[in-house]
Amino acid sequence: MWATISTWQMSYEGLREASKVLSNSGKAGDAVETLILDVEANPAYKSVGFGGLPNEEGIVEMDAGFMDGDTFAQGSVAGIQNVLHAISVARALSHEHYNSFRVGAGATKYAELNGFDMTNMLTESAKTEWMEKVKTLQVDTAHPYDGHDTVGAVTLDQSGSMAAATSTSGLFMKKAGRIGDSPLSGSGFYVDSEVGGAAATGLGEDIMKGCLSYEIVRRMKEGLSPQEASDQSVYPFVEKLKNRYGKAAEISLIALNNQGDWGVATNVEFTFNVATSNQKPQMFIAHPGPKQ
Ligand code: SD4
């Protein structure tokens, strides 16, 4: 049995690539990285990797996280600049016992010193969009934060190992140095091969308040299916945020257990992709829940 699940339409091709890795007896970690590399390399996707939209200063700052569900090895980068594949840097850092989560200049320096592909991540098209946004914001009070979809994925390989990963350029027009949930284990992603894994997309500031990826894995460990665990972690938390904090932004989570069963919970319309040894790669649309 193998399986993989990923966020948003943009990762459909990557999921197909990951499926090939998994069906050829490849490792969960290689598959999840393959999936994310495909999204990061595509300049058409404005929320991840090359072509990602910049912060309010016009600088592309990326966040990424990687976790191995067998060893719990974890690596993350946040606010990294000029690196083509933030996910590969995060994965490399997961092999370090110390200093495995690097931010800003330190993360970028690590990538440079270790031979990762360095490039200007701000494409002409992203720059144009940024300049337009700066102009709009000068004349009205439009909400500055839009255009943000993170790629997150969980994989299960034929040997029963699991991995999870995320990559994002974060919120368009974010403040310099702002970090979301995506590189934070427990919030943006979490995986335990004895149970399952989860990954998040949406407004990091809100996702972090609930450590939602960990919450889902914790509930799966108690015996819930990925769908039950997702429902019970996400929807009551969204209500709690509304009650205690006054509002809840968009939050979507994907989950996969070590049997290849999957689940999704979202409070916005959300596309995601699934492939398993029993099911060809397929894109689904989830509607805001909970289901009545
Ligand atoms: C962040 N969670 O930086 C990311 C953005 C995202 O859909 O996933 N948007 O907060």
Side-chain angles (χ1 to χ4, degrees):
M1 174 79 202
W2 58 264
T4 175
I5 186 167
S6 64
T7 59
W8 303 114
Q9 182 170 354
M10 65 184 170
S11 68
Y12 180 72
E13 276 310 314
L15 180 111
R16 284 166 55 99
E17 294 302 314
S19 303
K20 288 182 203 158
V21 174
L22 293 167
S23 62
N24 287 321
S25 307
K27 297 261 175 225
D30 294 335
V32 84
E33 184 179 7
T34 298
L35 189 155
I36 289 185
L37 288 173
D38 184 83
V39 187
E40 286 183 339
N42 193 328
Y45 304 138
K46 294 186 176 163
S47 50
V48 176
F50 186 60
L53 292 169
N55 67 15
E56 66 172 13
E57 296 176 6
I59 296 168
V60 183
E61 291 188 319
M62 291 157 298
D63 302 340
F66 174 91
M67 182 165 180
D68 178 318
D70 286 358
T71 60
F72 287 154
Q74 260 179 26
S76 292
V77 291
I80 195 169
Q81 295 179 22
N82 302 318
V83 173
L84 187 57
H85 288 299
I87 187 58
S88 300
V89 184
R91 188 178 183 190
L93 284 167
S94 76
H95 301 302
E96 310 275 344
H97 193 201
Y98 299 106
N99 307 302
S100 58
F101 190 160
R102 306 283 292 269
V103 306
T108 306
K109 192 168 164 189
Y110 174 89
E112 257 163 7
L113 290 176
N114 288 281
F116 289 91
D117 287 341
M118 308 299 291
T119 188
N120 174 15
M121 299 296 279
L122 186 66
T123 58
E124 280 309 310
S125 141
K127 190 172 170 182
T128 305
E129 208 163 311
W130 170 69
M131 289 191 309
E132 286 302 316
K133 191 73 174 185
V134 170
K135 267 192 252 157
T136 331
L137 289 174
Q138 281 162 355
V139 292
D140 67 24
T141 54
H143 194 273
Y145 305 122
D146 52 16
H148 56 91
D149 293 345
T150 291
V151 58
V154 186
T155 50
L156 164 70
D157 70 26
Q158 293 185 35
S159 72
S161 296
M162 297 190 76
T166 57
S167 181
T168 187
S169 49
L171 299 188
F172 179 29
M173 300 300 284
K174 64 189 178 183
K175 299 284 178 194
R178 176 267 183 195
I179 298 171
D181 59 303
S182 306
L184 298 184
S185 80
S187 287
F189 62 94
Y190 196 80
V191 64
D192 177 347
S193 303
E194 289 183 358
V195 182
T201 175
L203 186 73
E205 282 78 353
D206 277 359
I207 295 165
M208 287 190 272
K209 291 170 184 144
C211 300
L212 291 173
S213 292
Y214 182 76
E215 274 296 287
I216 290 175
V217 175
R218 187 179 68 75
R219 284 187 165 85
M220 290 196 291
K221 192 173 179 180
E222 287 173 354
L224 298 190
S225 69
Q227 188 58 54
E228 290 165 341
S230 302
D231 287 343
Q232 292 184 28
S233 301
V234 173
Y235 299 124
F237 183 70
V238 166
E239 285 313 304
K240 201 179 262 195
L241 271 183
K242 286 185 196 157
N243 292 337
R244 298 217 192 158
Y245 184 67
K247 58 187 172 195
E250 58 275 40
I251 295 179
S252 308
L253 271 290
I254 54 172
L256 179 70
N257 70 11
N258 65 3
Q259 304 302 305
D261 304 318
W262 51 271
V264 171
T266 180
N267 65 352
V268 289
E269 194 164 287
F270 167 59
T271 52
F272 64 99
N273 313 290
V274 177
T276 73
S277 32
N278 305 321
Q279 184 191 312
K280 282 194 297 207
Q282 194 178 338
M283 193 187 312
F284 295 89
I285 299 180
H287 298 284
K291 289 198 183 73
Q292 300 304 317

